[in-house]
DNA sequence: TGCTCATCAGCTGCCTGACAAGTTAGCCGG
DNA sequence: CCGGCTAACTTGTCAGGCAGCTGATGAGCA
């Protein structure tokens, strides 16, 4: 009945986890509903109990199901509430890049309001480090990441900073599809430097709106540089 | 050597996953490093291979390790990049509530630029539904969630909408600690209705800045109503 | 010497069967 | 009718084994 034994996209456990997730996402299995027992699932999908356990373990870590020894497995009260996951197909999505731009702009706006002297010094240092890296012939990718993290740090909101790092990493992966290295040939790395300076200036003048606009321009320019706009 | 067999915080697999996560987070195990084999880990921590497999499966779904059949398990290139997870202790954090306010404001700003007639109709319908629910003596919690989701939908960015739902759920959990039901006694549910109307108006006039401010005021008022500001 | 290729040890993926521990429902005796 | 006990579930854990894949080793050949 099942095709799990025939096609194997990844592993049996992954496939089964995906299969079991559907009724939960679709709402066919409501919160607090009991899932079939591991034994029943193993029989139904023609896999061993170990595979079922691994699939359920994955759904557990994602917060979709909860298990209690002796009682069974249940759909969690708030399915999917523990982790925010980006689909693989979503990488490279323009919506993802836009979300990153919004978050970074929020970081800049908050940074404009709350930054300390130390934050400004760190921002300048990060910008200088990137300029040096570019001057030495590198791409300055690590330094660019560092600059944006320092900006997020200046917003003084750890949750925001963590999410900015998370979304930024995915957005960068998406952009790498567009051949980062060719930026070097076109000598456009200097543009980035100038945009970073504009962000620092907007933040230093404690102008949230200007900081937001500076970041939005910076991200949009990045997309244009990568031919993604 | 190990205490896993003595104390059991949750399950052996959970405990082992936590144990194995530490060297990764601390940087002792660098990306692309190979983990000890399942057999070696089972011997080292005095558990069965099934427990080791389940622990590693959990680290896999969180994106900390990758496994390849015949080669072994390796620290992922970008540990923790696949899922954004909120610690339990973070619920109720003011930083989390602020992050939610930023995201909702972004939703409103985008909605102001991109909303369609249908979006406006849905917004009004959601607002009406909440007013009806309150009129009938309810709290209108479900309807309130619906209103904010419709607003996020009007931004026409699925990734943003998903994250808004994710962060909103956590923020609501945090606020429930502050006894939502006492809002009813103080007859403050009408305030929410008015603030929703203000958001709808700002969106309908296609004024991103006004929409952003309207949401920020709405969230801040919500915090004040719950005594969290 | 240098190259090719078969063999093999080790690893993960998966399976089977079993026991331990917790829960629940029903039966039985009072 | 009620309370306690048992039996039949459930998940958690264990042991052992086979299959498929990988990398290295070493024999054989040019």
């Amino acid at each position: 009945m099942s095709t799990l034994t025939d096609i194997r996209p990844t592993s049996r456990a992954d496939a089964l986890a995906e299969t079991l997730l559907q009724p939960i996402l679709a709402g066919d299995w409501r919160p607090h509903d009991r899932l079939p027992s591991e034994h029943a699932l193993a029989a139904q999908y023609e896999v061993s109990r170990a595979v079922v356990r691994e699939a359920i373990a994955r759904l557990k870590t994602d917060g979709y199901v909860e298990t209690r020894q002796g009682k069974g497995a249940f759909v969690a009260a708030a399915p999917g509430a523990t982790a925010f996951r980006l689909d693989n197909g979503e990488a490279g999505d323009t919506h993802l890049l836009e979300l990153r731009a919004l978050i970074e702009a929020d970081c800049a706006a908050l940074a404009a309001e709350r930054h300390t002297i130390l934050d400004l010094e760190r921002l300048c240092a990060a910008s200088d480090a990137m300029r040096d890296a570019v001057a030495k012939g590198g791409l300055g990718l690590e330094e660019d990441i560092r600059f944006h993290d320092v900006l997020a740090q200046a917003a003084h909101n750890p949750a925001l900073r963590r999410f900015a790092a998370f979304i930024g990493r995915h957005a960068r992966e998406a952009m790498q599809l567009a051949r980062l290295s060719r930026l070097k040939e076109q000598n456009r790395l200097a543009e980035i430097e100038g945009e970073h300076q504009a962000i620092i200036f907007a933040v230093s003048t404690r102008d949230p709106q200007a900081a937001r606009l500076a970041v939005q321009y910076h991200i949009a320019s990045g997309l244009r540089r990568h031919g993604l706009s």
Side-chain angles (χ1 to χ4, degrees), chain A residues 95-116:
Chain A
H95 293 131
L96 186 64
L97 300 173
E98 179 178 76
L99 177 55
R100 185 214 172 188
L102 290 168
I103 291 293
E104 295 261 353
D106 288 332
C107 287
L110 279 188
E113 296 175 354
R114 301 178 182 170
H115 71 83
T116 66

Side-chain angles (χ1 to χ4, degrees), chain A residues 139-192:
Chain A
L139 285 171
L141 188 56
E142 286 299 321
E143 290 77 9
D144 186 52
I145 293 174
R146 169 78 183 153
F147 175 84
H148 285 273
D149 184 57
V150 168
L151 181 64
Q153 188 180 15
H156 291 273
N157 182 326
L160 176 61
R161 182 186 177 191
R162 275 210 305 131
F163 185 66
F166 172 76
I167 198 78
R169 191 155 41 192
H170 278 271
R172 268 173 241 275
E173 281 176 16
M175 291 204 292
Q176 284 205 341
L177 301 176
R179 303 284 186 286
L180 230 174
S181 55
R182 75 164 185 218
L183 289 187
K184 197 169 162 185
E185 310 163 7
Q186 301 175 358
N187 208 18
R188 280 182 159 174
L189 292 172
E191 286 182 18
I192 299 178

Side-chain angles (χ1 to χ4, degrees), chain A residues 23-183:
Chain A
I24 298 177
L25 292 180
D28 296 336
W29 291 351
R30 310 281 307 173
H32 305 290
D33 278 1
R34 219 195 105 203
L35 272 67
S37 74
E38 297 177 352
H39 213 79
L41 288 174
Q44 177 178 352
Y45 292 98
E46 295 175 356
V47 293
S48 76
R49 227 190 105 206
V51 171
V52 174
R53 281 191 59 76
E54 205 164 310
I56 289 184
R58 171 169 166 179
L59 295 179
K60 265 196 294 186
T61 70
D62 274 14
Y64 289 105
V65 306
E66 295 165 353
T67 61
R68 278 189 298 275
Q69 185 172 355
K71 296 185 69 175
F74 302 84
V75 178
T82 65
F84 179 74
R85 188 178 299 277
L86 286 172
D87 306 337
N88 286 336
E90 223 161 356
D93 194 346
T94 54
H95 293 131
L96 186 64
L97 300 173
E98 179 178 76
L99 177 55
R100 185 214 172 188
L102 290 168
I103 291 293
E104 295 261 353
D106 288 332
C107 287
L110 279 188
E113 296 175 354
R114 301 178 182 170
H115 71 83
T116 66
I117 301 284
L118 182 60
D119 290 325
L120 267 189
E121 288 173 356
R122 276 199 276 243
L123 268 177
C124 292
S127 180
D128 291 347
M130 177 163 175
R131 186 172 51 227
D132 291 349
V134 171
K136 286 176 183 171
L139 285 171
L141 188 56
E142 286 299 321
E143 290 77 9
D144 186 52
I145 293 174
R146 169 78 183 153
F147 175 84
H148 285 273
D149 184 57
V150 168
L151 181 64
Q153 188 180 15
H156 291 273
N157 182 326
L160 176 61
R161 182 186 177 191
R162 275 210 305 131
F163 185 66
F166 172 76
I167 198 78
R169 191 155 41 192
H170 278 271
R172 268 173 241 275
E173 281 176 16
M175 291 204 292
Q176 284 205 341
L177 301 176
R179 303 284 186 286
L180 230 174
S181 55
R182 75 164 185 218
L183 289 187

